[in-house]
Amino acid sequence: MQDETLAEKTGLFISFEGGEGAGKSTQIRTLAEALRGRGFEVVVTREPGGSPGAEAVRHVILSGAAESFGVRMEAILFAAARNDHVEEVIRPALARGEIVLCDRFLDSSRVYQGTTGNLEHDFIETLQRIAIDGVVPELTLIFDIAAEKGLARARKRADEGATPDRFEKEEIETHEKRREAYLDIALAEPRRCRIVNADQPEDKVTEDVMSFVEPLLERAGNAADAAHE
């Protein structure tokens, strides 16, 4: 009976994935605003980061300070940050029946450290299993755009004052390889993943995102009601 009660109180976990400049952050903000307008409790978070411990690791990774230690150490740092994020932010929010919107999650490690970092599949999957400890997104939206166009967007942000991180500085071939890896994940896990065409007007992308999220909202509303009983 206890497990059934916990299941009833589980909120909704949605992760947003894709390459640099795909527009994930904009769509997360738009979706969060729309959901709050409909009365849902929403937690917006990101990786690497999202919790105090994970944010400290984020600075180390994105600054490039850990790069000299190799991709294996970097993957371990990502996993440690993810575990702190899950236990301190995501799992408690889901237990309260809230909707969690996360900018990047486990698929980013599969793509960035696994596919283009050339780490062994089994090593990455073992790290992820330990890091997430059973907390898997119910829906993963993969924002797809040609690497050249995505990088052009990222460079425009840099021209407007944003500092490019070490991943945005890599070769276009590397970014295109990551795009293909994300599409492979979507094909391999069609029940969890949905591909969003990010190379279209912003309002159309928003419509597509909502079309994927809408079917899940009734259950999320029931979970929120149960959590407050």
Side-chain angles (χ1 to χ4, degrees):
M1 178 63 71
Q2 183 178 9
D3 290 341
E4 292 176 0
T5 301
L6 288 173
E8 289 175 357
K9 292 187 178 182
T10 299
L12 175 60
F13 183 18
I14 303 174
S15 61
F16 291 64
E17 296 282 1
E20 310 304 325
K24 303 184 313 303
S25 300
T26 297
Q27 292 301 323
I28 288 175
R29 289 192 298 269
T30 301
L31 179 59
E33 183 178 348
L35 294 176
R36 287 169 179 149
R38 293 169 62 171
F40 291 98
E41 294 291 331
V42 181
V43 173
V44 175
T45 188
R46 67 177 183 177
E47 290 203 350
S51 62
E55 286 291 334
V57 177
R58 176 188 177 88
H59 174 72
V60 172
I61 293 172
L62 296 188
S63 69
E67 197 170 0
S68 62
F69 295 100
V71 67
R72 189 174 296 269
M73 176 61 74
E74 190 171 78
I76 292 170
L77 289 173
F78 270 113
R82 179 161 297 133
N83 180 257
D84 189 73
H85 186 207
V86 165
E87 299 304 333
E88 297 299 322
V89 176
I90 298 175
R91 195 188 301 275
L94 295 176
R96 295 190 298 267
E98 298 172 355
I99 298 178
V100 176
L101 307 179
C102 188
D103 188 346
R104 299 199 182 282
F105 196 58
L106 63 91
D107 296 306
S108 283
S109 289
R110 290 170 168 170
V111 170
Y112 282 74
Q113 284 76 54
T115 299
T116 56
N118 297 313
L119 289 179
E120 305 90 336
H121 174 80
D122 289 348
F123 176 76
I124 288 291
E125 291 304 307
T126 298
L127 273 182
Q128 297 317 303
R129 187 169 60 252
I130 295 170
I132 67 176
D133 193 21
V135 177
V136 179
E138 184 162 352
L139 173 65
T140 295
L141 298 173
I142 295 178
F143 289 74
D144 180 50
I145 190 170
E148 186 174 1
K149 290 185 177 181
L151 287 174
R153 290 180 180 179
R155 293 190 187 102
K156 183 178 180 181
R157 290 201 308 262
D159 291 341
E160 293 171 351
T163 302
D165 63 42
R166 54 163 292 238
F167 296 112
E168 292 175 354
K169 298 175 182 177
E170 293 170 324
E171 296 294 330
I172 191 167
E173 291 81 4
T174 300
H175 289 278
E176 193 60 39
K177 189 174 182 181
R178 288 176 184 145
R179 179 195 184 191
E180 294 171 1
Y182 273 123
L183 294 176
D184 287 342
I185 290 172
L187 291 174
E189 300 187 46
R191 295 184 64 181
R192 174 173 68 90
C193 300
R194 297 290 183 272
I195 298 172
V196 177
N197 178 8
D199 189 15
Q200 55 182 341
E202 187 176 310
D203 59 347
K204 184 61 173 68
V205 177
T206 298
E207 288 179 14
D208 289 350
V209 167
M210 186 55 73
S211 73
F212 293 131
V213 173
E214 192 72 47
L216 304 176
L217 294 181
E218 181 177 355
R219 187 188 65 76
N222 291 338
D225 291 341
H228 290 93
E229 289 178 356

